[in-house]
Amino acid sequence: MRILIALLLSFATVAHAENTGLMSGLISAPITLPVRMFGKDLTLDGYVVRPDRPGRFPLVIMTHGTPGGWDDAFFRNIAKRTPTAFNTPAVALAQRGYATLSIMRRGFGLSGGSYSEELLRPCDYLAAERIAADDIIVAMAAARREPWVDPDHILLLGHSTGGLTMLAVAERNPAGVVGVLNFDGGYHAMAKPDEACSPDRLVGTVASLGRTARVPALWLFAENDRSYGPELAHRMIAAYTAGGAPARLQILPPFGTDGHDLIIGAAAETWLTVAEPFLAELKLPTAVTIDLPEPAPLPTPTGLSPDCQRAFASYVAIRSDFKAFAIDDKGACGLAPASRTATEARDRSVAECKSNTSGTACHVYAVGQRTTEN
């Protein structure tokens, strides 16, 4: 296992050397972590963004939420998930001297094993979150041994069900973990999007997790979170801290039409300015030490629909060498904002474009910050 991890991280360095455009000064590449769980060997799908220089860095481990529904579409959806969804916060933190590791739990993305977080009973999800925490614990154990990781300064960052997962990790007070950032942590009703799966049971779940957790935590919830609004967030943190867990809640301004995905879609400065005092209390870095080059100008394709014009403006601003934008001749488009590789970005952008058009041919217009057309 040790040799395989070293080889994969060597690949990460090589991949970075060939793709330095928008990420000069940083290493960014996919990683596969081999782990052993419940007597079985499997791999977890991950993505690393870290400073491109020698040394050990505080490690931020990130994990994701869970889509709604419970049918074949649900399993197709989770299989398409990618750890690069955390690219925006990962880049911002790496600029401040952190190594970031985004991990897909079992059954998500390219991670091995089957989906293991199903609810044993309706709205009874404490056991499911503790199972999800197992994935993070084993991934963290593997990452702590790497030469670029400071094993005594680990920050956990989770979104939605991933936020609850990180609280379930903190419940065990693992060695090296100094803090938790919980973004909009909760668990929705599988059959009813935008609705908590019994608010009372959600409050009871965090109360259970808070009885033994002694890792400081900052909870960040958007004011317009359609799944877990401020009233529920206040109830949850009151229950969590009643057992002695050290935590505080910060309600962030509204973001878009649904603030639940703020950590994924908003600029990092939206929440970093609020989180910096918490990070400073933990003796973690807050200042930018790696300045990234400004994105090169990129001409807008002609004939784009208004929605695609907005999508292209977003594309230009994304900090990733592994992004792609596809178009057709009718004004439709497809955006792959951050992928594991350039090839994956190309494929995803074309597939997205085809899903948005009426059968006309789609082709890749740009990869990274360069067009593919003369």
Side-chain angles (χ1 to χ4, degrees):
M1 179 187 299
R2 178 73 176 148
I3 294 174
L4 181 54
I5 293 175
L7 289 173
L8 288 164
L9 288 173
S10 295
F11 163 73
T13 303
V14 172
H16 165 73
E18 296 175 352
N19 298 277
T20 57
L22 289 170
M23 304 286 280
S24 179
L26 300 178
I27 289 173
S28 60
I31 181 172
T32 301
L33 286 177
V35 298
R36 186 168 181 82
M37 301 187 69
F38 307 109
K40 296 182 178 180
D41 293 323
L42 54 89
T43 58
L44 296 179
D45 180 17
Y47 200 83
V48 173
V49 182
R50 64 179 177 90
D52 185 11
R53 63 187 186 214
R56 292 182 177 271
F57 309 102
L59 176 66
V60 184
I61 298 182
M62 308 175 173
T63 199
H64 51 85
T66 307
W70 187 254
D71 52 20
D72 289 343
F74 170 83
F75 290 99
R76 289 194 298 270
N77 191 341
I78 66 174
K80 294 178 182 177
R81 293 294 176 101
T82 169
T84 58
F86 281 109
N87 185 70
T88 296
V91 170
L93 289 166
Q95 286 186 268
R96 288 160 172 78
Y98 295 85
T100 70
L101 172 61
S102 175
I103 285 292
M104 307 299 290
R105 304 188 299 276
R106 281 171 289 167
F108 290 85
L110 302 180
S111 287
S114 58
Y115 177 72
S116 58
E117 300 169 22
E118 64 271 14
L119 305 184
L120 300 179
R121 293 180 297 277
C123 304
D124 183 9
Y125 31 68
L126 180 59
E129 289 297 350
R130 285 172 171 161
I131 289 171
D134 291 335
D135 297 46
I136 304 304
I137 292 290
V138 297
M140 181 166 56
R144 291 183 80 225
R145 296 192 293 266
E146 294 310 312
W148 42 271
V149 169
D150 177 352
D152 298 319
H153 293 87
I154 298 174
L155 183 69
L156 306 177
L157 187 158
H159 170 232
S160 195
T161 54
L164 282 190
T165 295
M166 292 313 199
L167 297 182
V169 175
E171 177 190 34
R172 308 181 196 183
N173 299 299
V177 174
V178 298
V180 177
L181 291 176
N182 167 26
F183 283 89
D184 302 284
Y187 211 122
H188 55 71
M190 302 302 282
K192 296 180 180 180
D194 305 329
E195 182 179 313
C197 182
S198 175
D200 290 342
R201 291 196 180 184
L202 188 54
V203 171
T205 294
V206 295
S208 296
L209 297 175
R211 291 189 185 111
T212 59
R214 295 299 178 264
V215 178
L218 176 62
W219 294 25
L220 297 147
F221 282 64
E223 184 179 340
N224 65 331
D225 187 319
R226 290 169 55 189
S227 300
Y228 320 106
E231 181 180 355
L232 179 55
H234 280 288
R235 286 183 60 198
M236 290 165 61
I237 197 159
Y240 184 72
T241 56
R248 61 179 181 262
L249 170 66
Q250 178 69 47
I251 302 297
L252 298 175
F255 170 71
T257 58
D258 183 0
H260 185 67
D261 290 331
L262 178 145
I263 182 60
I264 302 298
E269 289 70 25
T270 303
W271 57 269
L272 264 173
T273 53
V274 175
E276 282 175 353
F278 175 72
L279 299 176
E281 291 171 12
L282 301 177
K283 310 300 183 185
L284 294 174
T286 59
V288 173
T289 59
I290 300 173
D291 289 318
L292 296 178
E294 286 299 316
L298 195 59
T300 302
T302 59
L304 288 182
S305 69
D307 285 345
C308 284
Q309 291 177 23
R310 288 188 288 271
F312 187 74
S314 298
Y315 173 84
V316 172
I318 293 169
R319 293 284 189 174
S320 174
D321 292 318
F322 305 134
K323 63 178 182 176
F325 194 84
I327 59 175
D328 75 351
D329 58 1
K330 302 294 184 182
C333 64
L335 166 62
S339 302
R340 299 174 184 86
T341 64
T343 299
E344 180 182 275
R346 283 172 169 268
D347 293 343
R348 291 170 70 96
S349 68
V350 170
E352 178 69 16
C353 177
K354 288 180 178 179
S355 71
N356 294 330
T357 189
S358 57
T360 55
C362 290
H363 66 278
V364 177
Y365 173 77
V367 177
Q369 210 71 4
R370 296 179 180 179
T371 65
T372 60
E373 302 177 349
N374 295 325

